[in-house]
């Protein structure tokens, strides 16, 4: 019987690895970071920002689980990365959201010369304080690799004591679970539209890649793509994503007056409007409270393609948006709503059944797509947790996020109060954070 | 990121395969076939026998599922096999059941020169009629490869329409299921003793090999070994097995008088007694009914190490054997009982709990170890079924098997009646055959 031939060169090559890198490409990141980066590079290239890692799950003591040396090695490795030639070619030549040359030559040149800036790492009370400071278009690209590194180092820490078969069975169970989710999603019919948004809190790169392949095979046209550029390139599928809270948070932090502050979220989208059309014109309205944002929005925003619901009660907020579109003379049936907050199959099914036919429904499925190992190891040590990496300050001023769920608020307490006043934000309902 | 280097030579070599062989070694067979073969080679080398495939699950229409050309290719491939040098070295030099040079030089020479004899294949009523005729020590070695080929071709026929991810998830589910069984067995405590007897009706060679590795890792010392010689050699574990029904069946068929017939099963074991001791002295008493066999057995058989329960009600038969040992002045606590009939975890647990401490309990776990894909594909097309390959005739005379379960009886009806009369066998309880 044939035994697989050992590839000696690969073995020897592997022996030479100092580390097993978690992030091996600058485009192993979310597509919307590159879109936003281009926008920042154009409109706010000289803003200084601080990004900060925040572990909202305090009971997960990351500094006890993850070796500091290993963490530094992984972060240092990311700093050694630069855009590969094939990656640059793909970004320059590929069609994104139906558009050629999405990325302008001056931005591509910036990206081709980019190395990620330094990081600052300290341990405090069982947690890592990890911050990144510098020019916004450079620092912002740390968010996704930093999160992916911490998540995967934590997975590795938990897995390192498992035997070979325990590992095989662990992944067998996780595969079975995901496939059952995909079969349940298939049961929702041919009109479902769903994308992978799971890069930042994935179990590991290889696992995310497997999940994406499973979605391709299991959902066909219903799977619209992945937020991960590297996987989109390798699997030849759509790269998906629009924009995130960091844009209004930084714009707001830079405001000199209350009126400028009030206008900041719209100013962000006015800049975006200049750059993008079609399915990239998606409002993320919750940074300082969705109802107030929509109530005070200029009419041209009602003409945008859709809205992304990323916190709060998705049913109530969608009904609110539908009413808002109607009040502005828009047809909700032509509008896209992207749900992306802590989704799993049951929530997806309930939202799809409720809104399918009334609006165009789409889902950005994140952590519970790419990191659902709940209950699969003793002590549930692989359960996902709530880790974020946020813009904490801009030009020395703290940023604030209110969100439609007060559990997701960030910023100094006095500033949170001030922002609430300016934006007329009620506190809203609290939702537990799973991820 | 590193992609695995393609091993071009292996790829090209694979392209040259005309077939993907199911059986790639003469020792990809059960250890007890070799033990019995040596015995036959010594005591009955010139007997002509006919082995015949019998599919007891008539609803599985094998000739509709399996392509005849593929079946012939696989069978032809087995005829091209001869004992490899390393295999010969292992058989000559390894310790089996604590004994060196288990296989005598004349037998090894026979084995080294052996090619399996011709086969006869016909289709009839949706089934394959597959028979092997010739000298007993050669023909008998067809049994296991013939069964393994049919089982795996049937698996392949069912699997060929599955997509890549459906396949991955199928195996993920099967792995998860087996690991849960192993965890349940571990719950029985450190005294459990269990071996793999699943070669003949395995899902595939690679799957059996995986199952054995899972047993090694999950059960440690509780896993006593495998019946499969190739896997025992490769994984450096014990090769397990004693003797089977074909010995008394052929000896009985050759009997000239009723008295010779009555003595035939004991004659078999007398020859075995000459050759083997210790844990190889295990009685298989059910060929013509266990109670009659034990009742009429000579006292030296009560001195044997143990008994294998392969049909009928295992609890009643074990109680019967315990009483029998006591009646012959033997201590049942020193006796080994090997259960090997259609076991799964629940039966193993129940038998272990009932008899542990009263006797030495051991299990030969077969089909539901190496081929439990029940419920994993639509239509349950991978569920195991009851396929055997039996000695049907010896020197032109039909063989008969009664067994402790009339569903397992084989032979012409008039001869079955005659054997019942001679051995005083009552019909016994019927048990459905799963495998």
């Amino acid at each position: 019987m044939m035994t697989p031939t050992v590839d000696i060169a690969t073995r020897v090559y592997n022996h030479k690895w100092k580390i097993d890198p978690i992030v091996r490409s600058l485009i192993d990141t979310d597509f919307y970071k590159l879109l936003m980066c281009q926008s920042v590079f154009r409109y706010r290239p000289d803003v200084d920002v601080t990004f900060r890692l925040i572990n909202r799950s305090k009971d997960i003591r990351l500094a006890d689980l993850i070796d500091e040396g290993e963490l530094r090695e992984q972060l240092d490795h990311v700093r050694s990365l630069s855009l590969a030639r094939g990656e640059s070619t793909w970004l320059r030549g590929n069609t994104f959201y139906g558009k050629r040359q999405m990325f302008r030559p001056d931005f591509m040149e910036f990206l081709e010369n980019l190395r990620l800036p330094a990081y600052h790492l300290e341990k405090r009370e069982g947690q890592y304080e990890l911050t990144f400071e510098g020019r916004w278009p450079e620092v912002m690209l740390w968010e996704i690799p930093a999160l992916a590194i911490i998540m995967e180092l934590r997975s590795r820490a938990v897995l390192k004591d498992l035997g070979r078969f325990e590992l095989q069975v662990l992944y067998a169970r996780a595969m079975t679970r995901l496939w059952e989710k995909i079969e349940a999603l298939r049961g929702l019919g041919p009109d479902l539209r769903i994308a992978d948004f799971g890069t930042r809190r994935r179990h590991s790169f290889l696992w995310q890649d497997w999940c994406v392949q499973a979605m391709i095979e299991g959902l066909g046209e219903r799977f619209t793509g992945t937020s991960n550029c590297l996987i989109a390139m390798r699997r030849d599928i759509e790269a998906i994503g629009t924009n995130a809270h960091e844009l209004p948070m930084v714009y707001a932090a830079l405001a000199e007056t209350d009126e400028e502050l009030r206008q900041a979220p719209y100013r962000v989208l006015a800049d975006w409007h200049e750059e993008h059309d079609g399915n990239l014109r998606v409002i993320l309205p919750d940074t300082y409270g969705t109802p107030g944002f929509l109530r005070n929005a200029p009419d041209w925003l009602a003409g945008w393609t859709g809205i992304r619901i990323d916190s709060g009660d998705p049913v109530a907020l969608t009904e609110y948006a539908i009413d808002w579109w109607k009040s502005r003379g828009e047809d909700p049936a032509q509008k896209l709503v992207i749900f992306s907050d802590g989704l799993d199959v049951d929530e997806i099914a309930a939202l799809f059944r409720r809104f399918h036919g009334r609006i165009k429904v789409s889902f950005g499925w994140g952590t519970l797509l790419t990191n659902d190992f709940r209950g699969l190891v003793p002590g549930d040590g692989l359960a996902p947790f709530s880790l974020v990496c946020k813009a904490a300050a801009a030009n020395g001023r703290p940023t604030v996020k209110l969100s439609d769920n007060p559990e997701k608020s960030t910023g100094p307490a006095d500033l949170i109060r001030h922002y609430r006043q300016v934006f007329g934000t009620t506190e809203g309902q609290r939702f537990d954070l799973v991820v």
Side-chain angles (χ1 to χ4, degrees), chain A:
Chain A
M1 145 153 229
M2 277 283 295
T3 44
T5 304
V6 175
D7 180 339
I8 299 172
T10 301
R11 281 269 187 111
V12 172
Y13 181 86
N14 291 351
H15 290 158
K16 293 194 298 186
W17 283 3
K18 284 202 301 286
I19 61 165
D20 185 8
I22 290 170
V23 173
R24 294 176 202 173
S25 158
L26 266 195
I27 67 164
D28 181 11
T29 193
D30 279 345
F31 177 67
Y32 79 169
K33 294 299 294 197
L34 298 184
L35 282 186
M36 290 190 291
C37 188
Q38 174 166 256
S39 187
V40 168
F41 178 76
R42 179 176 188 174
Y43 296 108
R44 297 286 190 281
D46 298 322
V47 171
D48 277 316
V49 296
T50 303
F51 269 65
R52 187 188 308 281
L53 188 81
I54 305 162
N55 176 11
R56 298 188 290 211
S57 306
K58 295 289 171 224
D59 53 314
I60 312 276
R61 293 174 61 88
L62 290 172
D64 297 344
L65 278 167
I66 297 173
D67 178 73
E68 185 177 333
E70 283 178 38
L71 176 52
R72 286 184 183 277
E73 268 187 331
Q74 295 292 344
L75 295 168
D76 291 342
H77 182 76
V78 172
R79 292 200 64 205
S80 78
L81 294 173
S82 62
L83 198 66
R85 186 163 158 183
E87 295 165 350
S88 175
T89 302
W90 181 74
L91 288 174
R92 285 174 181 269
N94 192 46
T95 301
F96 299 100
Y97 281 80
K99 180 178 170 182
R100 286 217 177 273
Q101 290 188 295
M102 175 68 81
F103 297 104
R104 284 185 301 276
D106 61 336
F107 176 68
M108 284 307 305
E109 204 175 315
F110 157 77
L111 212 56
E112 282 157 357
N113 291 306
L114 179 70
R115 299 288 184 287
L116 290 196
Y119 60 88
H120 310 274
L121 179 67
E122 278 178 62
K123 278 187 188 185
R124 196 182 306 263
E125 293 169 13
Q127 300 295 340
Y128 281 114
E129 294 207 341
L130 179 58
T131 52
F132 308 94
E133 289 180 37
R135 290 175 66 233
W136 190 8
E138 298 178 355
V139 167
M140 65 188 294
L141 293 179
W142 259 117
E143 177 183 358
I144 308 299
L147 291 170
I149 284 170
I150 301 258
M151 292 305 294
E152 188 162 343
L153 282 180
R154 185 264 204 154
S155 303
R156 291 185 185 182
V158 172
L159 296 178
K160 73 176 188 306
D161 297 327
L162 297 191
R164 195 169 132 232
F165 271 73
E166 288 175 303
L167 282 172
Q168 254 199 309
V169 170
L170 175 76
Y171 286 104
R173 284 177 170 156
M175 286 178 182
T176 301
R177 175 179 291 176
L178 177 59
W179 194 252
E180 279 162 8
K181 290 184 184 188
I182 289 173
E183 285 176 336
L185 292 177
R186 207 157 43 201
L188 297 177
D191 294 339
L192 178 71
R193 291 294 175 270
I194 188 164
D196 159 35
F197 276 21
T199 299
R200 68 190 58 207
R201 284 194 285 268
R202 67 191 183 197
H203 171 78
S204 72
F205 174 79
L206 289 177
W207 180 248
Q208 183 184 16
D209 192 39
W210 191 89
C211 294
V212 166
Q213 292 175 72
M215 295 283 275
I216 293 170
E217 174 146 331
L219 294 179
E221 293 297 309
R222 285 164 283 208
F223 178 57
T224 55
T226 174
S227 62
N228 187 293
C229 295
L230 184 62
I231 295 175
M233 181 178 83
R234 291 229 180 122
R235 301 290 164 201
D236 205 8
I237 56 178
E238 295 293 321
I240 299 286
T242 54
N243 55 66
H245 301 103
E246 68 177 284
L247 296 178
M249 286 166 73
V250 172
Y251 276 51
L254 298 176
E256 299 290 346
T257 67
D258 284 357
E259 184 49 30
E260 266 187 46
L261 176 56
R262 219 183 322 268
Q263 290 307 318
Y266 307 115
R267 179 65 195 275
V268 166
L269 299 184
D271 287 349
W272 198 260
H273 196 93
E274 287 294 302
E275 293 209 280
H276 301 298
D277 48 26
N279 281 354
L280 283 175
R281 287 190 177 165
V282 172
I283 304 166
L284 178 66
D286 68 327
T287 313
Y288 303 116
T290 295
F293 178 90
L294 293 180
R295 213 163 39 234
N296 302 319
D299 276 337
W300 56 265
L301 261 182
W304 272 33
T305 305
I307 194 170
R308 181 156 72 93
I309 307 287
D310 198 46
S311 65
D313 176 349
V315 168
L317 290 166
T318 304
E319 295 291 357
Y320 193 97
I322 289 172
D323 290 342
W324 174 69
W325 278 312
K326 285 183 187 163
S327 76
R328 303 287 179 110
E330 299 282 334
D331 177 8
Q334 302 306 315
K335 296 298 185 183
L336 177 67
V337 176
I338 301 170
F339 297 100
S340 63
D341 180 26
L343 296 172
D344 205 358
V345 168
D346 288 348
E347 294 80 20
I348 293 169
L351 291 168
F352 181 77
R353 291 203 181 97
R354 175 163 184 134
F355 291 112
H356 174 230
R358 296 174 60 199
I359 48 172
K360 293 179 183 169
V361 185
S362 185
F363 298 92
W365 192 12
T367 311
L368 295 176
L369 165 60
T370 61
N371 199 358
D372 189 358
F373 287 68
R374 290 175 295 181
L376 296 186
V377 294
D380 213 6
L382 289 177
F385 61 103
S386 192
L387 188 72
V388 294
C389 182
K390 288 284 179 196
N395 287 348
R397 304 168 180 214
T399 66
V400 169
K401 182 185 168 195
L402 299 179
S403 143
D404 290 324
N405 175 5
E407 293 289 330
K408 282 187 168 182
S409 296
T410 57
D414 56 336
L415 270 185
I416 288 182
R417 271 195 303 278
H418 181 68
Y419 273 59
R420 281 223 175 92
Q421 221 167 19
V422 169
F423 289 102
T425 316
T426 55
E427 220 198 32
Q429 192 184 339
R430 284 178 189 274
F431 294 88
D432 283 348
L433 297 178
V434 177
V435 290

